[in-house]
Coordinates of all heavy atoms in Angstrom, one line a residue:
M1 N 0.8 -1.2 0.0 CA 0.0 0.0 0.0 C 0.9 1.2 0.0 O 1.9 1.3 0.6 CB -0.8 0.1 1.3 CG -2.2 -0.5 1.3 SD -3.3 0.0 0.0 CE -4.5 -1.2 0.4
F2 N 0.4 2.3 -0.6 CA 1.0 3.6 -0.7 C 0.0 4.6 -0.2 O -1.2 4.5 -0.5 CB 1.5 3.9 -2.1 CG 2.5 2.9 -2.5 CD1 2.2 1.8 -3.2 CD2 3.9 3.1 -2.2 CE1 3.1 0.8 -3.6 CE2 4.8 2.1 -2.7 CZ 4.4 1.0 -3.3
Y3 N 0.5 5.6 0.5 CA -0.4 6.5 1.2 C -0.1 8.0 0.8 O 1.1 8.3 0.7 CB -0.4 6.4 2.7 CG -0.7 5.0 3.2 CD1 0.3 4.0 3.3 CD2 -2.0 4.7 3.5 CE1 -0.1 2.8 3.8 CE2 -2.4 3.4 3.9 CZ -1.4 2.5 4.1 OH -1.7 1.2 4.5
V4 N -1.1 8.8 0.7 CA -0.9 10.2 0.6 C -1.6 10.8 1.9 O -2.7 10.3 2.3 CB -1.7 10.8 -0.6 CG1 -1.6 12.3 -0.7 CG2 -1.1 10.2 -1.9
Y5 N -0.9 11.7 2.6 CA -1.4 12.1 3.8 C -1.3 13.6 3.9 O -0.5 14.3 3.3 CB -0.6 11.5 5.0 CG 0.9 11.7 5.0 CD1 1.4 12.9 5.6 CD2 1.7 10.9 4.3 CE1 2.7 13.1 5.6 CE2 3.1 11.2 4.2 CZ 3.6 12.3 4.9 OH 4.9 12.6 4.9
L6 N -2.2 14.2 4.8 CA -2.2 15.6 5.1 C -2.0 15.8 6.6 O -2.7 15.1 7.4 CB -3.5 16.2 4.6 CG -3.9 16.1 3.2 CD1 -5.3 16.7 2.9 CD2 -2.9 16.8 2.3
L7 N -1.2 16.7 6.9 CA -0.9 17.0 8.3 C -1.3 18.5 8.6 O -1.0 19.3 7.7 CB 0.5 16.9 8.7 CG 1.2 15.5 8.5 CD1 2.7 15.6 8.7 CD2 0.6 14.5 9.4
L8 N -1.9 18.8 9.7 CA -2.1 20.1 10.1 C -1.0 20.5 11.0 O -0.8 19.9 12.0 CB -3.5 20.3 10.8 CG -3.9 21.7 11.2 CD1 -4.0 22.6 9.9 CD2 -5.2 21.7 12.0
L9 N -0.3 21.5 10.6 CA 0.9 21.9 11.4 C 0.6 23.0 12.4 O -0.5 23.5 12.4 CB 2.0 22.5 10.4 CG 2.4 21.6 9.3 CD1 3.3 22.3 8.3 CD2 3.0 20.3 9.8
K10 N 1.5 23.3 13.3 CA 1.3 24.2 14.4 C 0.9 25.6 13.9 O 0.1 26.3 14.5 CB 2.6 24.3 15.2 CG 2.6 25.4 16.3 CD 3.8 25.3 17.1 CE 5.0 26.0 16.4 NZ 6.2 26.2 17.3
N11 N 1.4 26.0 12.7 CA 1.1 27.3 12.2 C -0.2 27.3 11.3 O -0.4 28.2 10.5 CB 2.3 27.8 11.4 CG 2.7 26.9 10.3 OD1 2.1 25.9 10.0 ND2 3.8 27.3 9.6
N12 N -1.0 26.2 11.4 CA -2.2 26.0 10.7 C -2.0 25.8 9.2 O -3.0 26.0 8.4 CB -3.3 27.1 11.0 CG -3.9 26.9 12.3 OD1 -4.0 25.8 12.8 ND2 -4.2 28.0 13.0
Q13 N -0.8 25.6 8.7 CA -0.6 25.2 7.3 C -0.8 23.7 7.2 O -0.8 22.9 8.2 CB 0.8 25.5 6.9 CG 1.1 27.0 6.8 CD 2.5 27.3 6.3 OE1 3.4 26.5 6.5 NE2 2.7 28.4 5.6
I14 N -1.1 23.3 5.9 CA -1.3 21.9 5.7 C -0.1 21.3 4.9 O 0.3 21.9 3.9 CB -2.6 21.6 4.9 CG1 -3.8 22.1 5.7 CG2 -2.7 20.2 4.4 CD1 -5.1 22.0 5.0
Y15 N 0.5 20.3 5.4 CA 1.6 19.6 4.8 C 1.1 18.4 4.1 O 0.4 17.6 4.7 CB 2.6 19.2 5.9 CG 3.8 18.4 5.4 CD1 5.0 19.1 4.9 CD2 3.8 17.0 5.5 CE1 6.1 18.4 4.5 CE2 4.9 16.3 5.0 CZ 6.0 17.0 4.6 OH 7.1 16.3 4.1
T16 N 1.5 18.2 2.9 CA 1.1 17.0 2.1 C 2.4 16.1 1.8 O 3.4 16.7 1.4 CB 0.5 17.5 0.7 OG1 -0.5 18.4 1.0 CG2 0.0 16.3 -0.1
G17 N 2.2 14.9 2.0 CA 3.3 13.9 1.7 C 2.8 12.6 1.3 O 1.6 12.3 1.3
S18 N 3.7 11.7 0.9 CA 3.3 10.3 0.6 C 4.4 9.4 1.1 O 5.5 9.7 1.4 CB 3.2 10.1 -1.0 OG 4.5 10.4 -1.6
T19 N 3.9 8.1 1.4 CA 4.8 7.1 2.0 C 4.3 5.7 1.7 O 3.1 5.6 1.3 CB 4.9 7.3 3.5 OG1 5.9 6.4 4.0 CG2 3.6 7.2 4.2
N20 N 5.1 4.7 1.9 CA 4.6 3.4 1.8 C 4.3 2.8 3.2 O 3.9 1.6 3.3 CB 5.6 2.5 1.0 CG 6.9 2.3 1.7 OD1 7.2 3.1 2.6 ND2 7.7 1.4 1.3
N21 N 4.6 3.5 4.2 CA 4.4 3.1 5.6 C 3.9 4.3 6.4 O 4.7 5.0 7.0 CB 5.7 2.5 6.2 CG 5.5 1.8 7.5 OD1 4.6 2.2 8.3 ND2 6.3 0.8 7.8
L22 N 2.6 4.4 6.5 CA 2.1 5.6 7.2 C 2.4 5.7 8.7 O 2.7 6.7 9.2 CB 0.5 5.6 6.9 CG -0.2 6.9 7.4 CD1 0.3 8.1 6.7 CD2 -1.7 6.7 7.2
K23 N 2.3 4.6 9.3 CA 2.6 4.6 10.8 C 4.0 5.0 11.1 O 4.2 5.8 11.9 CB 2.3 3.2 11.4 CG 2.4 3.1 12.9 CD 2.0 1.8 13.4 CE 2.0 1.8 14.9 NZ 1.5 0.6 15.5
R24 N 5.0 4.4 10.4 CA 6.4 4.8 10.6 C 6.6 6.3 10.2 O 7.3 7.0 11.0 CB 7.3 3.9 9.7 CG 8.8 4.4 9.7 CD 9.6 3.7 8.6 NE 9.1 3.7 7.3 CZ 9.1 4.7 6.5 NH1 9.7 5.8 6.8 NH2 8.6 4.6 5.3
R25 N 6.0 6.7 9.1 CA 6.2 8.1 8.7 C 5.7 9.1 9.7 O 6.3 10.1 10.0 CB 5.6 8.3 7.3 CG 5.9 9.7 6.7 CD 7.4 9.9 6.5 NE 7.6 11.1 5.8 CZ 8.8 11.7 5.6 NH1 9.9 11.1 6.2 NH2 8.9 12.8 5.0
T26 N 4.5 8.9 10.2 CA 3.9 9.8 11.1 C 4.6 9.8 12.4 O 4.8 10.9 13.1 CB 2.4 9.5 11.4 OG1 2.2 8.1 11.8 CG2 1.5 9.8 10.2
T27 N 5.2 8.7 12.8 CA 6.0 8.6 14.0 C 7.3 9.5 13.8 O 7.7 10.3 14.7 CB 6.4 7.2 14.4 OG1 5.2 6.4 14.6 CG2 7.3 7.1 15.6
E28 N 7.9 9.3 12.7 CA 9.1 10.2 12.3 C 8.8 11.6 12.4 O 9.5 12.5 12.9 CB 9.7 9.8 11.0 CG 10.3 8.4 10.9 CD 10.6 8.0 9.4 OE1 10.2 8.7 8.5 OE2 11.2 7.0 9.3
L29 N 7.7 12.0 11.8 CA 7.2 13.4 11.8 C 7.0 13.9 13.2 O 7.4 15.0 13.5 CB 6.0 13.6 10.9 CG 6.2 13.4 9.4 CD1 4.9 13.0 8.7 CD2 6.8 14.6 8.8
R30 N 6.3 13.2 14.0 CA 6.0 13.6 15.3 C 7.2 13.8 16.2 O 7.2 14.6 17.1 CB 5.0 12.7 16.0 CG 3.6 12.8 15.4 CD 2.6 12.1 16.2 NE 1.2 12.3 15.7 CZ 0.5 11.3 15.2 NH1 0.9 10.1 15.2 NH2 -0.7 11.6 14.6
L31 N 8.2 12.9 16.0 CA 9.4 13.0 16.8 C 10.4 14.0 16.3 O 11.5 14.2 16.9 CB 10.1 11.6 16.8 CG 9.3 10.5 17.5 CD1 10.1 9.1 17.3 CD2 9.2 10.8 19.0
G32 N 10.1 14.7 15.2 CA 11.0 15.7 14.7 C 12.1 15.2 13.9 O 13.1 15.9 13.7
K33 N 12.0 14.1 13.3 CA 13.1 13.5 12.5 C 13.0 13.9 11.0 O 13.9 13.6 10.2 CB 13.0 12.0 12.6 CG 13.4 11.4 13.9 CD 13.4 9.9 14.0 CE 13.8 9.4 15.3 NZ 13.9 8.0 15.4
V34 N 12.0 14.7 10.7 CA 11.9 15.2 9.3 C 12.1 16.7 9.3 O 11.4 17.5 10.0 CB 10.5 14.9 8.8 CG1 10.3 15.4 7.3 CG2 10.2 13.4 8.8
A35 N 13.1 17.2 8.6 CA 13.6 18.6 8.6 C 12.4 19.5 8.2 O 12.3 20.6 8.8 CB 14.8 18.8 7.6
S36 N 11.6 19.2 7.2 CA 10.6 20.1 6.7 C 9.5 20.4 7.7 O 8.8 21.4 7.6 CB 10.0 19.6 5.4 OG 9.4 18.3 5.6
T37 N 9.3 19.5 8.7 CA 8.3 19.8 9.8 C 8.8 19.9 11.2 O 8.0 20.1 12.1 CB 7.2 18.7 9.7 OG1 7.8 17.4 10.0 CG2 6.5 18.6 8.4
K38 N 10.1 19.7 11.3 CA 10.7 19.7 12.7 C 10.3 20.9 13.5 O 10.0 20.7 14.7 CB 12.2 19.6 12.5 CG 13.0 19.5 13.8 CD 14.5 19.3 13.6 CE 15.2 19.1 14.9 NZ 16.6 18.9 14.7
N39 N 10.4 22.1 12.9 CA 10.1 23.3 13.7 C 8.6 23.7 13.6 O 8.3 24.8 14.1 CB 11.0 24.4 13.2 CG 12.5 24.1 13.5 OD1 12.8 23.6 14.5 ND2 13.3 24.4 12.5
R40 N 7.8 22.9 13.1 CA 6.3 23.2 13.0 C 5.5 22.2 13.7 O 4.3 22.0 13.3 CB 6.0 23.3 11.5 CG 6.7 24.4 10.8 CD 6.3 24.7 9.4 NE 6.7 23.7 8.5 CZ 6.4 23.6 7.2 NH1 5.5 24.5 6.7 NH2 6.8 22.7 6.4
R41 N 6.0 21.6 14.7 CA 5.3 20.7 15.5 C 4.6 21.4 16.7 O 5.1 22.5 17.1 CB 6.2 19.6 16.1 CG 6.8 18.7 15.1 CD 7.7 17.7 15.6 NE 8.9 18.4 16.2 CZ 9.6 17.9 17.2 NH1 9.3 16.8 17.8 NH2 10.6 18.6 17.7
P42 N 3.5 21.0 17.3 CA 2.9 19.7 17.1 C 2.1 19.7 15.8 O 1.7 20.7 15.3 CB 2.0 19.5 18.3 CG 1.7 20.9 18.7 CD 2.9 21.7 18.4
L43 N 1.9 18.5 15.3 CA 1.1 18.3 14.1 C 0.1 17.2 14.2 O 0.2 16.4 15.1 CB 2.1 18.0 12.9 CG 3.2 17.0 13.1 CD1 2.8 15.6 12.9 CD2 4.3 17.4 12.2
K44 N -0.9 17.3 13.4 CA -2.0 16.3 13.5 C -2.3 15.7 12.1 O -2.3 16.4 11.1 CB -3.3 17.0 13.9 CG -3.3 17.5 15.3 CD -4.6 18.2 15.6 CE -4.5 18.9 17.0 NZ -5.7 19.6 17.3
L45 N -2.4 14.4 12.0 CA -2.8 13.7 10.8 C -4.3 14.0 10.6 O -5.1 13.6 11.5 CB -2.5 12.2 10.9 CG -2.9 11.4 9.7 CD1 -2.1 11.7 8.5 CD2 -2.7 9.9 10.0
I46 N -4.6 14.7 9.6 CA -6.1 15.0 9.4 C -6.7 14.3 8.3 O -7.9 14.3 8.1 CB -6.3 16.5 9.2 CG1 -5.5 17.1 8.0 CG2 -5.9 17.3 10.5 CD1 -5.8 18.5 7.6
H47 N -5.9 13.7 7.4 CA -6.5 13.0 6.2 C -5.4 12.1 5.6 O -4.2 12.4 5.6 CB -6.9 14.0 5.2 CG -7.6 13.4 4.0 ND1 -8.9 13.0 4.0 CD2 -7.1 13.1 2.8 CE1 -9.2 12.5 2.8 NE2 -8.1 12.6 2.0
Y48 N -5.9 10.9 5.1 CA -5.0 10.1 4.3 C -5.8 9.3 3.3 O -7.0 9.1 3.5 CB -4.1 9.2 5.2 CG -4.8 8.0 5.9 CD1 -4.9 6.8 5.2 CD2 -5.3 8.2 7.1 CE1 -5.6 5.7 5.9 CE2 -6.0 7.1 7.8 CZ -6.1 5.9 7.1 OH -6.7 4.9 7.7
E49 N -5.1 8.9 2.2 CA -5.7 8.1 1.2 C -4.8 7.0 0.9 O -3.6 7.2 0.9 CB -5.9 8.9 -0.1 CG -6.8 10.2 0.1 CD -6.8 11.1 -1.1 OE1 -6.1 10.8 -2.1 OE2 -7.5 12.1 -1.0
A50 N -5.3 5.8 0.6 CA -4.5 4.6 0.3 C -4.6 4.2 -1.2 O -5.7 4.3 -1.7 CB -4.9 3.4 1.2
Y51 N -3.5 3.8 -1.7 CA -3.4 3.5 -3.2 C -2.6 2.1 -3.3 O -1.7 1.9 -2.5 CB -2.7 4.5 -4.0 CG -3.5 5.8 -4.0 CD1 -3.3 6.8 -3.1 CD2 -4.4 6.0 -5.0 CE1 -4.0 8.0 -3.1 CE2 -5.2 7.2 -5.1 CZ -5.0 8.2 -4.1 OH -5.7 9.3 -4.1
L52 N -3.0 1.3 -4.2 CA -2.3 0.1 -4.5 C -1.0 0.3 -5.3 O 0.0 -0.4 -5.1 CB -3.2 -0.9 -5.3 CG -4.4 -1.4 -4.5 CD1 -5.3 -2.3 -5.4 CD2 -4.0 -2.2 -3.3
L53 N -1.0 1.3 -6.1 CA 0.2 1.6 -6.9 C 0.9 2.9 -6.5 O 0.2 3.9 -6.3 CB -0.2 1.7 -8.4 CG -0.9 0.5 -9.0 CD1 -1.3 0.8 -10.5 CD2 0.1 -0.7 -9.0
K54 N 2.2 2.9 -6.5 CA 3.0 4.0 -6.1 C 2.8 5.2 -7.0 O 2.6 6.3 -6.6 CB 4.5 3.7 -6.0 CG 5.3 4.8 -5.6 CD 6.8 4.4 -5.5 CE 7.6 5.6 -5.1 NZ 9.1 5.2 -4.9
D55 N 2.7 4.9 -8.3 CA 2.5 6.0 -9.3 C 1.2 6.7 -9.0 O 1.2 8.0 -9.2 CB 2.4 5.4 -10.7 CG 3.8 4.9 -11.2 OD1 4.8 5.2 -10.6 OD2 3.8 4.2 -12.2
D56 N 0.1 6.1 -8.6 CA -1.1 6.7 -8.3 C -1.0 7.6 -7.1 O -1.5 8.8 -7.1 CB -2.3 5.7 -8.1 CG -2.6 5.0 -9.4 OD1 -2.4 5.5 -10.5 OD2 -3.2 3.8 -9.3
A57 N -0.3 7.2 -6.1 CA -0.1 8.0 -4.9 C 0.7 9.2 -5.2 O 0.4 10.3 -4.7 CB 0.5 7.1 -3.8
V58 N 1.8 9.0 -5.9 CA 2.7 10.2 -6.3 C 1.9 11.2 -7.1 O 2.0 12.4 -6.9 CB 4.0 9.7 -7.0 CG1 4.8 10.8 -7.6 CG2 4.8 8.8 -6.0
R59 N 1.1 10.7 -8.1 CA 0.3 11.6 -8.9 C -0.7 12.4 -8.1 O -0.8 13.6 -8.2 CB -0.4 10.8 -10.0 CG -1.1 11.6 -11.0 CD -1.7 10.8 -12.1 NE -0.8 9.9 -12.7 CZ -0.9 8.5 -12.6 NH1 -1.9 8.0 -11.8 NH2 0.0 7.7 -13.2
R60 N -1.3 11.7 -7.1 CA -2.3 12.4 -6.2 C -1.6 13.4 -5.4 O -2.1 14.6 -5.2 CB -3.0 11.4 -5.4 CG -4.0 12.0 -4.4 CD -5.2 12.6 -5.1 NE -6.2 12.9 -4.1 CZ -7.2 13.7 -4.3 NH1 -7.4 14.3 -5.5 NH2 -8.1 13.9 -3.4
E61 N -0.4 13.1 -4.8 CA 0.4 14.0 -4.0 C 0.7 15.3 -4.8 O 0.6 16.4 -4.3 CB 1.6 13.3 -3.4 CG 2.5 14.3 -2.6 CD 3.9 13.7 -2.3 OE1 4.2 12.7 -2.8 OE2 4.6 14.4 -1.5
K62 N 1.2 15.1 -6.0 CA 1.6 16.2 -6.8 C 0.4 17.1 -7.1 O 0.5 18.3 -7.1 CB 2.2 15.7 -8.1 CG 3.6 15.2 -7.9 CD 4.2 14.8 -9.3 CE 5.6 14.3 -9.1 NZ 6.2 13.8 -10.3
Y63 N -0.8 16.5 -7.3 CA -2.0 17.3 -7.6 C -2.4 18.1 -6.4 O -2.7 19.3 -6.4 CB -3.2 16.4 -8.0 CG -4.5 17.1 -8.1 CD1 -4.7 18.1 -9.1 CD2 -5.4 17.0 -7.1 CE1 -5.9 18.8 -9.1 CE2 -6.6 17.7 -7.2 CZ -6.8 18.6 -8.2 OH -8.0 19.3 -8.2
L64 N -2.3 17.4 -5.2 CA -2.7 18.1 -4.0 C -1.8 19.3 -3.6 O -2.2 20.2 -2.8 CB -2.8 17.1 -2.8 CG -3.9 16.1 -2.9 CD1 -3.9 15.1 -1.7 CD2 -5.3 16.8 -2.9
K65 N -0.6 19.3 -4.2 CA 0.3 20.4 -3.9 C 0.1 21.6 -4.9 O 0.8 22.6 -4.8 CB 1.8 19.9 -4.0 CG 2.1 19.0 -2.8 CD 3.5 18.5 -2.9 CE 3.9 17.8 -1.6 NZ 5.3 17.3 -1.6
T66 N -0.8 21.4 -5.9 CA -1.1 22.5 -6.8 C -2.1 23.4 -6.2 O -2.8 23.1 -5.2 CB -1.6 22.0 -8.2 OG1 -2.9 21.3 -7.9 CG2 -0.7 20.9 -8.8
T67 N -2.3 24.6 -6.8 CA -3.3 25.5 -6.3 C -4.7 24.9 -6.3 O -5.5 25.0 -5.4 CB -3.3 26.8 -7.2 OG1 -2.0 27.3 -7.1 CG2 -4.4 27.8 -6.7
Y68 N -5.0 24.2 -7.4 CA -6.4 23.5 -7.5 C -6.5 22.4 -6.5 O -7.6 22.2 -5.9 CB -6.6 23.0 -8.9 CG -6.6 24.1 -10.0 CD1 -5.6 24.2 -11.0 CD2 -7.6 25.0 -10.0 CE1 -5.7 25.2 -11.9 CE2 -7.7 26.0 -11.0 CZ -6.7 26.1 -11.9 OH -6.7 27.1 -12.8
G69 N -5.5 21.6 -6.3 CA -5.5 20.5 -5.4 C -5.7 21.0 -4.0 O -6.5 20.5 -3.2
K70 N -5.0 22.1 -3.6 CA -5.1 22.6 -2.2 C -6.5 23.2 -2.0 O -7.1 23.0 -1.0 CB -4.1 23.8 -2.0 CG -2.7 23.3 -1.9 CD -1.7 24.5 -1.8 CE -0.3 24.0 -1.8 NZ 0.6 25.1 -1.8
R71 N -7.1 23.9 -3.0 CA -8.4 24.4 -2.9 C -9.4 23.3 -2.8 O -10.3 23.4 -1.9 CB -8.7 25.2 -4.2 CG -10.1 25.9 -4.1 CD -10.6 26.3 -5.5 NE -10.7 25.1 -6.3 CZ -10.6 25.2 -7.7 NH1 -10.4 26.3 -8.3 NH2 -10.8 24.1 -8.3
D72 N -9.3 22.2 -3.6 CA -10.3 21.1 -3.5 C -10.2 20.4 -2.1 O -11.2 20.1 -1.6 CB -10.0 20.1 -4.6 CG -10.4 20.6 -6.0 OD1 -11.1 21.7 -6.1 OD2 -9.9 20.0 -7.0
M73 N -9.0 20.2 -1.6 CA -8.9 19.5 -0.4 C -9.4 20.4 0.8 O -10.0 19.9 1.7 CB -7.4 19.1 -0.1 CG -7.3 18.1 1.0 SD -8.3 16.7 1.0 CE -7.7 15.8 -0.4
K74 N -9.1 21.7 0.7 CA -9.6 22.5 1.8 C -11.1 22.6 1.8 O -11.8 22.6 2.8 CB -9.0 23.9 1.7 CG -7.6 24.0 2.1 CD -7.0 25.4 2.0 CE -5.6 25.4 2.4 NZ -4.9 26.8 2.2
R75 N -11.7 22.6 0.6 CA -13.2 22.5 0.5 C -13.7 21.2 1.0 O -14.7 21.2 1.8 CB -13.6 22.7 -1.0 CG -15.1 22.8 -1.1 CD -15.5 23.0 -2.6 NE -14.8 24.2 -3.2 CZ -14.4 24.3 -4.4 NH1 -14.5 23.3 -5.2 NH2 -13.8 25.4 -4.9
Q76 N -13.1 20.1 0.7 CA -13.5 18.8 1.2 C -13.4 18.7 2.7 O -14.3 18.1 3.3 CB -12.7 17.7 0.5 CG -13.1 16.3 1.0 CD -12.2 15.2 0.3 OE1 -11.6 15.5 -0.7 NE2 -12.2 14.1 0.9
L77 N -12.4 19.3 3.3 CA -12.1 19.2 4.7 C -12.6 20.4 5.5 O -12.2 20.6 6.6 CB -10.7 18.9 5.0 CG -10.1 17.6 4.4 CD1 -8.6 17.5 4.6 CD2 -10.8 16.4 5.0
S78 N -13.4 21.2 4.9 CA -13.7 22.5 5.5 C -14.3 22.4 6.9 O -13.9 23.2 7.8 CB -14.6 23.3 4.6 OG -15.9 22.6 4.4
S79 N -15.2 21.5 7.1 CA -15.8 21.4 8.4 C -14.8 21.0 9.5 O -14.8 21.5 10.6 CB -16.9 20.3 8.4 OG -18.0 20.7 7.6
L80 N -13.9 20.0 9.1 CA -12.8 19.6 10.1 C -11.9 20.7 10.4 O -11.5 21.0 11.5 CB -12.1 18.4 9.5 CG -10.9 17.9 10.3 CD1 -11.3 17.4 11.6 CD2 -10.1 16.9 9.5
L81 N -11.5 21.5 9.3 CA -10.6 22.6 9.5 C -11.1 23.7 10.4 O -10.5 24.3 11.2 CB -10.1 23.1 8.2 CG -9.2 22.2 7.3 CD1 -9.0 22.7 5.9 CD2 -8.0 21.8 8.0
E82 N -12.4 24.0 10.2 CA -13.1 24.9 11.1 C -13.1 24.5 12.5 O -12.9 25.3 13.4 CB -14.5 25.2 10.6 CG -14.6 26.0 9.3 CD -16.1 26.1 8.9 OE1 -17.0 26.0 9.7 OE2 -16.3 26.4 7.7
L83 N -13.4 23.2 12.7 CA -13.4 22.6 14.1 C -12.1 22.7 14.7 O -11.9 23.1 15.9 CB -13.9 21.2 14.0 CG -14.0 20.5 15.4 CD1 -15.1 21.0 16.3 CD2 -14.2 19.0 15.1
L84 N -11.0 22.4 14.0 CA -9.7 22.4 14.6 C -9.2 23.8 14.8 O -8.4 24.0 15.7 CB -8.7 21.6 13.6 CG -8.9 20.1 13.6 CD1 -8.0 19.5 12.5 CD2 -8.7 19.5 14.9
A85 N -9.6 24.8 14.0 CA -9.2 26.2 14.2 C -9.8 26.7 15.5 O -9.2 27.6 16.1 CB -9.6 27.0 13.0
L86 N -10.9 26.2 16.0 CA -11.5 26.7 17.2 C -10.8 26.3 18.4 O -10.9 26.8 19.5 CB -13.0 26.3 17.2 CG -13.9 26.8 16.1 CD1 -15.3 26.2 16.3 CD2 -13.9 28.3 16.2
K87 N -10.0 25.2 18.3 CA -9.3 24.7 19.5 C -8.0 25.3 19.8 O -7.4 25.9 19.0 CB -9.1 23.2 19.3 CG -10.4 22.4 19.3 CD -10.1 20.9 19.3 CE -11.4 20.2 19.4 NZ -11.3 18.8 19.4

């Protein structure tokens, strides 16, 4: 399995990534072992998608990093993002 995941960072930005082992990757991110999120912790896993093929996961990750992809995902997760912003 290959996963595309979204994390809500301390500064309320959304980080998008992909991995073949979601549990290991989220542990690395939470422990600060990843340079791109090390100084933006704590973070929360707010969404993930599973794919059978790596190419599909990479394609989805690239799309979610575009302007249109970010807009679509924020629209899809709007209720969750509003709820988390209140906390």
Side-chain angles (χ1 to χ4, degrees):
M1 266 312 169
F2 298 91
Y3 302 91
V4 175
Y5 58 89
L6 299 175
L7 302 171
L8 184 62
L9 305 174
K10 176 175 77 172
N11 59 3
N12 286 328
Q13 290 183 332
I14 295 175
Y15 176 86
T16 304
S18 63
T19 185
N20 64 345
N21 186 330
L22 187 60
K23 187 173 183 176
R24 174 191 48 81
R25 185 64 171 166
T26 53
T27 299
E28 291 171 352
L29 289 158
R30 285 191 180 118
L31 293 175
K33 294 183 177 182
V34 179
S36 58
T37 59
K38 183 177 183 176
N39 296 320
R40 298 189 281 173
R41 294 178 296 149
L43 42 85
K44 294 178 186 176
L45 178 67
I46 59 170
H47 181 80
Y48 70 91
E49 301 171 359
Y51 294 89
L52 293 174
L53 300 176
K54 182 178 181 178
D55 289 346
D56 292 336
V58 170
R59 189 176 307 110
R60 179 68 169 162
E61 177 190 8
K62 286 182 180 179
Y63 171 71
L64 291 175
K65 289 181 175 183
T66 67
T67 301
Y68 296 114
K70 288 176 187 177
R71 182 197 64 206
D72 290 346
M73 190 53 65
K74 284 180 182 177
R75 186 179 302 143
Q76 180 180 340
L77 299 174
S78 62
S79 296
L80 175 65
L81 294 172
E82 286 178 20
L83 178 68
L84 292 173
L86 296 176
K87 292 185 177 185

